Amino acid sequence: MPGTGSGTGNPARRTAVAAATTSAVVLLTALTGCSADDTAASANPRSTALTGKNARTATDPVPRGSGSRTASDFNGDGAPDLVLDDLAHDGLGDDAGIAIVYGKKGHGLTPGVRQLLSPAKYAAPTKGQTPAAFASEASCDLNADGFTDLVVSTDPPYDGQGQPPVPLQILFGSPGGIAGKGVKVAIPARARLGNDWPDQPVCGDFDGDGKADLVVHASNDSLSFLPGPFTRSGAPRGTARLVPSSGNVPAGPAADVDGDGTDDVLVRAHGGTARATVALGGPTGPQTAGTTYPAGTDVAFGRFGSAVMTGDGIVLKNGRTLAVPGTTLDTGDLDGDGRTDLIASGDGKIRLVAGGTRVLKGSPGGGRVIAVADYDGDGRDDLVVQRTSGSDSAKDSVVVLTGERTASLLAAKPRPAFSTAEFTADVAP
């Protein structure tokens, strides 16, 4: 996963949009780069082939849904969908766009049912200029209509004078999936501070009203709180305000860490290896500073408590250190036992920690974990892993490693499910 920054450079960043699990309370922030050269690392787990046909030039229509409360469900049919940012392509410039692979309830992801969101077709222009960069940042139902919306980061033109334009746009979900061009996120002047790019959006219900809000990076140890629901023009309906914090890099997904009914957000002092503090939600949004965590590259929360990825391994809340290498942490309930499992990656291999406390021997192989969710509806979370071919941007494979009620947590023997090159092959350079 890519690193987060302070918001002072190019605002378009590649971040994985992880689906929220239903079995554990999870707060995760990915803060450093992951190795992309992973094709040689593969051991013994297996993935299930994604259902549907692996269409190479044509796609099936997106099934029409009626709305749901499922995370990452852009067409509202009750099945989680997958967002893919780094697409294998050749001759499509620096950014081929964003792909969404739609799921089928009770069956899993269907790569033949997909959308390719190119900036030319889906991004709103700024001063007549179409963004060259188009990166997914967060997903939630911002306008409360039952269809997940996608928040993306762009690179609007800026002359370096005064406050830069807001780089964030919302692509709204609908019964047929993502529909229409993006709209720019409106951040009122009272909720902006300084001349940093207002980026790093995190979704959550930070004020406990049942509606999705956004927290966005501001400047000088401040955050912008944008209470939902949002209008179709991209503006928050509630009173937006600045929130003082102990850092300026918010990271998600958010979760209710202290159990008070409002979501909390982890805030980093800066990108890379840095300390982190939880900003606790409340009736007026995030405000109170919670626990501060030691310097590390990633922090995750689950039923095991908290985990910090440091240079020595994973440091748990009780002070115990697990000798697990890596730079990033994901969480999920892979065997459906109600306990949160840790997934460590970032050094070319993926390693599992059962229940967040017991390190499993071996590795499920290599690659970059891009999502954790129960795609096939069996009550166990699955890992979606993308593997690339070294420096060849035109080759990759995406596999789903299914959760299983065994000691290994995952079913055995991997096999590629599809390549994102299939998604871009029929797009003219």
Side-chain angles (χ1 to χ4, degrees), residues 81-306:
D81 308 314
L82 173 68
V83 178
L84 289 160
D85 242 322
D86 294 313
L87 307 181
H89 68 279
D90 188 12
L92 296 179
D94 293 335
D95 197 331
I98 304 164
I100 296 180
V101 178
Y102 286 88
K104 182 178 180 182
K105 194 171 184 179
H107 293 274
L109 296 169
T110 55
V113 181
R114 61 182 185 257
Q115 281 183 291
L116 182 60
L117 311 177
S118 67
K121 184 175 180 181
Y122 286 91
T126 299
K127 296 182 178 179
Q129 181 175 316
T130 299
F134 206 49
S136 65
E137 295 284 353
S139 62
C140 52
D141 184 6
L142 286 171
N143 61 341
D145 64 351
F147 304 94
T148 300
D149 310 309
L150 185 66
V151 184
V152 300
S153 187
T154 67
D155 59 345
Y158 177 52
D159 61 7
Q161 303 298 314
Q163 287 190 336
V166 176
L168 303 175
Q169 299 185 13
I170 303 171
L171 300 176
F172 288 104
S174 76
I178 295 294
K181 280 188 177 289
V183 299
K184 299 173 186 178
V185 173
I187 303 180
R190 63 177 173 273
R192 290 199 64 175
L193 178 68
N195 295 329
D196 283 358
W197 289 100
D199 56 4
Q200 310 295 341
V202 177
C203 287
D205 180 11
F206 302 108
D207 54 12
D209 66 352
K211 303 296 189 296
D213 315 311
L214 283 180
V215 165
V216 177
H217 161 81
S219 301
N220 302 329
D221 289 342
S222 295
L223 306 174
S224 298
F225 171 55
L226 310 176
F230 282 65
T231 68
R232 293 286 299 193
S233 62
R237 287 195 172 96
T239 302
R241 64 180 179 85
L242 281 169
V243 176
S245 71
S246 58
N248 58 11
V249 184
D256 183 5
V257 174
D258 59 357
D260 69 347
T262 62
D263 281 336
D264 312 307
V265 61
L266 194 73
V267 185
R268 302 283 295 191
H270 52 77
T273 301
R275 61 179 172 79
T277 303
V278 171
L280 299 174
T284 59
Q287 183 82 46
T288 308
T291 304
T292 297
Y293 298 91
T297 57
D298 211 348
V299 182
F301 292 81
R303 293 180 186 271
F304 52 80
S306 64

Side-chain angles (χ1 to χ4, degrees), residues 27-97:
L27 174 61
L28 165 71
T29 169
L31 299 156
T32 59
C34 292
S35 170
D37 189 8
D38 301 310
T39 51
S42 109
N44 55 7
R46 97 185 133 149
S47 67
T48 57
L50 301 186
T51 61
K53 53 186 181 179
N54 288 335
R56 293 191 178 276
T57 58
T59 59
D60 295 328
V62 176
R64 295 186 67 82
S66 58
S68 80
R69 296 180 65 87
T70 301
S72 294
D73 182 11
F74 299 100
N75 62 331
D77 65 350
D81 308 314
L82 173 68
V83 178
L84 289 160
D85 242 322
D86 294 313
L87 307 181
H89 68 279
D90 188 12
L92 296 179
D94 293 335
D95 197 331

